[in-house]
Amino acid sequence: RIAERMLTALHRRRGWARLVTYWGETHTNGSPANIRDIYAEIFDWLDRTLPAESVNGAAAAPPTPAPSLRWRPSS
């Protein structure tokens, strides 16, 4: 499987990687327990990869909307 080969290649390069598979699931996940675990894995990964200041908001500025061009009909 391609995912297993990618995992092996990352480990050989001393990278951190984790492959999580769920018995009975295919490309979509239907079990509520598996879906909860997937979100737990995602949040764990975000906690490990994002800088701490962007998580607790100390140094992160709130996003500002980009200016939008609005068409206004002429009167």
Side-chain angles (χ1 to χ4, degrees), residues 1-60:
R1 292 170 47 181
I2 293 174
E4 292 165 349
R5 292 193 319 216
M6 290 175 62
L7 178 72
T8 302
L10 284 168
H11 280 285
R12 286 182 181 162
R13 295 182 61 107
R14 307 270 188 227
W16 187 92
R18 181 173 171 157
L19 175 63
V20 179
T21 58
Y22 298 95
W23 184 85
E25 303 280 15
T26 57
H27 289 282
T28 59
N29 296 301
S31 166
N34 290 347
I35 294 169
R36 282 191 299 272
D37 189 66
I38 289 168
Y39 278 104
E41 290 285 337
I42 292 169
F43 291 134
D44 179 57
W45 177 80
L46 288 171
D47 287 341
R48 279 186 277 106
T49 56
L50 292 177
E53 57 269 0
S54 67
V55 174
N56 64 21

Side-chain angles (χ1 to χ4, degrees), residues 60-66:
T64 56

